[in-house]
């Protein structure tokens, strides 16, 4: 059984003006997401700015979110690293904190071979009992998992159950699902490809859009699963201008700007990320107004 089906939010991490994690705001965001129909919370991922958080902060945020969610919906912790030992330690800590699953990104910068990827993920998964979702995002990491590598891992490692696919390569995703023969739980890593991924047998999306439109993102998936593909597609296309605006600068710069425009006061970004350019913020605000989430 999949860890979740539907729309999981790739949750931002709110910061205070001094750069510390804003745990009070984080608690508010968790409750808003659950009330908005989000199907899972993914914490300490790319959108959560985990790359600029310390190991201690990672552990604190994951434990805090697990406690606040209290098993109402699944919590999936981002514990990937380009150092296998570090990823093992982070994954063990997340399991102890109560995470329901892990999201493991491909090792960045090292550019491991496919053999190296198999050994890396096998080592990490073998140190925990909770299920693992792989994360294929070559545009950020510089290395892509081949469809056959993903299938090998899902077939040979009992608790590796699926993949978040953010390569944007629909042909590769189709090849993956052809080879998988049902053994891979597939999630879209791109908000503009939810319906295409679902049509290939996907279980849902791990979504940036859900930070600002949790109900609407959930409904894209819900309509598809209920057999109303036309309505699902309509909702996907309706959201497209906003999705494009949310990625007109590198994620999570726009989504944090959007949440601040909505009055959520999620605070600043951590360097080296910088605040959104004024012309792009205007574009974002316009898309938000047209989508009906900003007055």
């Amino acid at each position: 059984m999949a860890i979740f089906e539907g729309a999981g939010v790739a949750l931002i991490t709110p910061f205070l003006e001094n750069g510390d994690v804003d745990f009070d705001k984080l608690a508010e965001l968790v409750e808003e997401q659950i009330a908005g129909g989000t199907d899972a919370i993914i914490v300490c991922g790319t959108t959560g700015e985990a790359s600029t958080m310390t190991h201690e902060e990672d552990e604190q945020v994951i434990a805090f979110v697990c406690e606040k969610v209290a098993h109402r919906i699944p919590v999936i912790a981002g514990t990937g690293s380009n150092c296998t030992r570090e990823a093992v330690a982070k994954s063990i800590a997340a399991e102890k904190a109560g995470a329901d699953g892990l999201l493991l990104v491909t090792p960045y910068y090292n550019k491991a071979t496919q053999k190296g990827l198999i050994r890396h993920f096998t080592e990490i998964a073998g140190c925990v009992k909770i299920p693992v979702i792989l994360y294929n995002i070559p545009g950020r990491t510089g290395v892509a998992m081949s469809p056959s590598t993903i299938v090998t891992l899902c077939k040979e490692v009992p608790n590796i159950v699926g993949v978040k696919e953010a390569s944007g390569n629909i042909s590769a995703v189709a090849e993956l699902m052809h080879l998988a023969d049902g053994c891979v739980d597939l999630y879209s890593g791109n908000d503009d490809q939810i319906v295409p991924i679902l049509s290939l047998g996907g279980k849902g999306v791990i979504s940036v859009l859900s930070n600002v439109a949790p109900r609407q993102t959930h409904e894209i998936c819900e309509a598809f699963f209920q057999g109303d593909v036309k309505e699902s597609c309509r909702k996907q296309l309706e959201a497209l201008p906003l999705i494009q605006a949310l990625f007109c600068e590198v994620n999570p710069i726009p989504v944090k700007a959007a949440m601040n425009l909505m009055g959520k006061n999620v605070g600043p970004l951590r360097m080296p990320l910088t605040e959104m350019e004024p012309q792009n913020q205007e574009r974002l605000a316009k898309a938000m107004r047209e989508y009906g989430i900003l007055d």
Side-chain angles (χ1 to χ4, degrees):
M1 184 177 179
I3 302 176
F4 78 96
E5 293 187 356
V9 62
L11 193 67
I12 66 105
T13 302
F15 296 122
L16 299 167
E17 289 304 317
N18 68 1
D20 292 343
V21 176
D22 186 344
F23 285 98
D24 290 339
K25 180 59 64 174
L26 183 58
E28 289 180 24
L29 296 179
V30 166
E31 293 303 329
E32 287 177 5
Q33 286 294 321
I34 293 173
T38 289
D39 298 291
I41 291 178
I42 294 81
V43 62
C44 288
T46 304
T47 311
E49 296 180 75
S51 58
T52 54
M53 291 167 63
T54 66
H55 299 328
E56 182 181 31
E57 286 174 325
D58 279 342
E59 291 185 17
Q60 289 173 342
V61 168
I62 292 167
F64 182 86
V65 171
C66 289
E67 181 182 359
K68 291 299 175 184
V69 172
H71 299 291
R72 286 175 287 173
I73 58 175
V75 174
I76 300 166
T79 57
S81 172
N82 65 334
C83 172
T84 305
R85 288 185 178 183
E86 183 177 309
V88 165
K90 291 171 69 174
S91 298
I92 291 171
E95 182 177 42
K96 288 180 179 177
D100 298 287
L102 305 176
L103 182 68
L104 298 179
V105 70
T106 48
Y108 39 88
Y109 189 76
N110 311 61
K111 298 187 75 172
T113 64
Q114 298 301 304
K115 176 182 176 182
L117 293 175
I118 290 171
R119 290 187 62 181
H120 173 79
F121 289 122
T122 300
E123 178 76 13
I124 301 165
C127 294
V128 295
K129 294 181 180 178
I130 54 178
V132 168
I133 297 172
L134 307 172
Y135 184 10
N136 190 34
I137 183 165
R140 281 189 181 263
T141 65
V143 61
M145 279 186 289
S146 71
S148 61
T149 292
I150 296 168
V151 171
T152 295
L153 285 162
C154 288
K155 284 185 175 180
E156 296 186 0
V157 184
N159 60 328
I160 295 181
V161 299
V163 64
K164 175 184 176 182
E165 244 301 338
S167 67
N169 187 341
I170 291 294
S171 295
V173 176
E175 175 67 9
L176 163 66
M177 297 307 280
H178 167 69
L179 296 174
D181 194 26
C183 78
V184 177
D185 291 338
L186 173 66
Y187 298 93
S188 176
N190 296 319
D191 283 309
D192 61 352
Q193 294 183 344
I194 301 172
V195 173
I197 292 292
L198 293 179
S199 73
L200 290 171
K203 299 290 186 180
V205 61
I206 296 177
S207 169
V208 174
L209 176 65
S210 283
N211 281 283
V212 296
R215 178 65 62 185
Q216 295 93 324
T217 314
H218 167 84
E219 288 176 352
I220 293 172
C221 298
E222 182 180 52
F224 190 95
F225 294 143
Q226 291 178 349
D228 195 345
V229 177
K230 184 176 181 179
E231 177 64 7
S232 178
C233 186
R234 186 192 68 78
K235 289 179 179 292
Q236 167 83 90
L237 296 177
E238 181 183 45
L240 194 59
L242 176 57
I243 293 166
Q244 291 170 337
L246 286 170
F247 288 90
C248 70
E249 290 189 26
V250 68
N251 178 50
I253 292 174
V255 71
K256 278 196 129 175
M259 296 176 80
N260 284 326
L261 285 170
M262 295 170 77
K264 295 187 182 294
N265 300 317
V266 299
L269 299 143
R270 281 191 175 175
M271 287 183 66
L273 298 182
T274 54
E275 297 304 318
M276 200 171 189
E277 295 295 332
Q279 67 273 21
N280 289 333
Q281 185 153 313
E282 289 177 12
R283 173 186 174 183
L284 175 63
K286 180 176 183 288
M288 292 170 68
R289 286 192 293 269
E290 290 176 351
Y291 195 61
I293 60 172
L294 185 67
D295 295 332

